[in-house]
Amino acid sequence: MDTDILKKRISFAGKLTKFFYNYFNSKLDLKKLQETYKADKGRITRLDLTDINVSIHFRLKNGKFEILKNVNKPDNIILAPSDMYFSLFEKEHDAIIQEMMTRWRFGEISFFGETAMADFKLFIKAIKDLKDSLPKIKQEAVLQSA
Amino acid sequence: MAKSIMCLSSKGGVGKTLVGVNLALALAKTHRVALIDLDIDSSNVGGLLGLEGDIDIDLEKRKMIPRDYMVGENAMKVFAMSLYLQKADQGITMPDSQRRQFIREAILNTEYGELEFKIFDMPGGTSVEFLSLATYIPDCSAIIVTQPNQSEDVNRTVDVCNHYKIKILGIVENMSGSWMHGAPVMCQHCNEEFAPFGKNTVPEKYPNIPFFGRIPLCEEIFETHPPTIPNEFGVLENILKAVQ
C-alpha cells in the first residue's frame, strides 16, 4: 500500500475510534445492552485492522465503552480489513448484519477466542436490537467531528 | 462419557450424510444423541431434517444451543453451519483457522447436555475438519462410507485413521448394485443385478475391517423425509450392533 494512503487510513482509524467512543458513550444505553446480553464480565476484544496493521482494544464495562492500551491477553480477537471498519456504520442495521455475515463466510473477517462464535452471534442479535440507535455516519462527518 | 463416531471418507458424495443421519436417528430412539454436521461448506443435515431457524445462545454460559429434532419422545440435538447461518444455500470459503474455531466451538462450546452418542457428519476429505475433530476428541471412532471400486479412496481414509489412531468401526458400501420395489434390479440380458458402479467390492479388499453391508442405488431411500435406508439392507442393524 502507498505510504500516504496507509498514513491516511491509520489516521482515519484513530478518528473513527474516537468518534465511536464518544457516540457509544453519549447516545447508547450501554448499561441496558450489557444487562440484556449479560455482557458484564468486562471481556476485552482486540480488533486487528489487518491491512493497515492497527489494533484497537475495547470493552464494555460498567455501562461504558472503553478503549484500552497495553492489553496482553484479550478475550476475543477480530481480524478485519480497515475498509469494513470505515464503512460499516454508513449502512442500515440489516445491511451491517448481511455484510458481516457475508465477509465472515468468505473469510474476510475472522473471530477467535474461547466463545468467539457465540459472541459473534450475540453481536449480530445486538445489532438487530439496536437498529434505530446505531449511527449511520459518513466518513466526512467523522473527519469534521475529530 | 458420550461415544463419538464420525462418518468419514476421503471422497465427497459417497453417502456419509445419509449414513450419519440414519445412524443418529436410529440411536436417538433409545439414547441421548447429538448429530453434529462438520461439513462446513456443504452443510446438509439441517435441511435433510427439515430444520430451519437460528442457533440460540445461552447468555450465562456463553455457549451455543443446538436445535432439537424430536425422535419419538426424545430430543436429538442437532448442530450445523446451516443453522448458524440461518440459510443452507450460502457459499463458504473460510480459512482453515476460522474452520478450526467454528469446529472447536461446535464441539466444546455448544450446550448438548448429557449425551450417550455424538455422531459427526464429516465433509469429503481428511484435512482440517478431520484434524480438528481428531484433536478435540482423540477417542472418536470412524465409519468409512464408500462406493464400489473406490479402493484408492478407502486406502487413503484407512491410512489417515491409522496414522491418527482413529478406530475404524467398519465400512459401508453405498450405491452398490441397485434396488427397486423391494428387489434387486435385474439386467434383462444377463440376469445379473444391475450395478453401474459395481457391488460388494469392499469385503474381499479389506478382510480385517468389519463390513457393515451395502446400500444399493434405491429410489425408496429418497421417498421419505429425512431419507431412510431400508431395514432390509441390514446396514443399520450391523452398525448399531457395532456401536452399542
Side-chain angles (χ1 to χ4, degrees), chain A residues 39-82:
Chain A
D40 51 3
K41 303 280 195 300
R43 297 166 75 243
I44 298 168
T45 297
R46 189 181 84 203
L47 170 64
D48 286 347
L49 302 173
T50 48
D51 56 326
I52 60 173
N53 202 22
V54 166
S55 294
I56 302 156
H57 294 86
F58 60 89
R59 71 176 168 188
L60 283 180
K61 194 172 184 189
N62 301 325
K64 290 286 175 193
F65 177 69
E66 296 179 348
I67 308 288
L68 305 165
K69 288 180 179 173
N70 303 322
V71 177
N72 286 329
K73 285 187 180 175
D75 298 288
N76 282 336
I77 297 171
I78 304 172
L79 307 184
S82 60

Side-chain angles (χ1 to χ4, degrees), chain A:
Chain A
M1 191 184 295
D2 181 278
T3 311
D4 283 345
I5 294 173
L6 181 63
K7 280 181 182 171
K8 280 180 186 169
R9 288 193 180 187
I10 292 171
S11 169
F12 187 71
K15 287 171 181 169
L16 189 59
T17 304
K18 191 177 165 190
F19 178 90
F20 284 147
Y21 175 83
N22 290 328
Y23 187 95
F24 292 157
N25 283 320
S26 61
K27 303 279 171 108
L28 298 184
D29 188 348
L30 296 176
K31 196 165 188 178
K32 187 181 168 196
L33 198 68
Q34 275 190 280
E35 287 168 4
T36 304
Y37 292 102
K38 301 215 182 326
D40 51 3
K41 303 280 195 300
R43 297 166 75 243
I44 298 168
T45 297
R46 189 181 84 203
L47 170 64
D48 286 347
L49 302 173
T50 48
D51 56 326
I52 60 173
N53 202 22
V54 166
S55 294
I56 302 156
H57 294 86
F58 60 89
R59 71 176 168 188
L60 283 180
K61 194 172 184 189
N62 301 325
K64 290 286 175 193
F65 177 69
E66 296 179 348
I67 308 288
L68 305 165
K69 288 180 179 173
N70 303 322
V71 177
N72 286 329
K73 285 187 180 175
D75 298 288
N76 282 336
I77 297 171
I78 304 172
L79 307 184
S82 60
D83 73 291
M84 191 189 77
Y85 186 57
F86 296 162
S87 67
L88 207 58
F89 286 89
E90 290 182 341
K91 299 173 187 298
E92 297 288 338
H93 76 289
D94 52 352
I96 292 173
I97 293 168
Q98 191 179 344
E99 174 161 356
M100 291 200 74
M101 292 301 279
T102 301
R103 287 197 180 224
W104 178 64
R105 285 191 291 117
F106 291 126
E108 294 166 24
I109 54 172
S110 298
F111 302 86
F112 300 100
E114 288 292 309
T115 60
M117 294 292 92
D119 289 339
F120 179 40
K121 206 70 181 154
L122 282 181
F123 180 75
I124 294 294
K125 285 179 192 289
I127 297 274
K128 275 184 193 165
D129 287 353
L130 286 169
K131 65 176 187 178
D132 296 324
S133 318
L134 288 171
K136 284 183 274 297
I137 54 167
K138 295 290 177 194
Q139 298 199 7
E140 298 78 42
V142 174
L143 291 169
Q144 283 168 9
S145 74

Side-chain angles (χ1 to χ4, degrees), chain B residues 179-233:
Chain B
W179 190 271
M180 191 181 276
H181 305 310
V185 178
M186 306 304 284
C187 171
Q188 291 179 349
H189 299 288
C190 63
N191 209 29
E192 293 280 329
E193 183 178 342
F194 178 58
F197 297 110
K199 67 168 190 173
N200 272 340
T201 63
V202 163
E204 65 183 40
K205 286 179 184 158
Y206 304 95
N208 298 323
I209 301 176
F211 181 56
F212 288 141
R214 66 184 185 102
I215 305 170
L217 290 168
C218 173
E219 252 183 18
E220 287 154 55
I221 291 173
F222 296 97
E223 285 171 354
T224 58
H225 288 283
T228 306
I229 302 169
N231 287 335
E232 54 212 297
F233 301 151

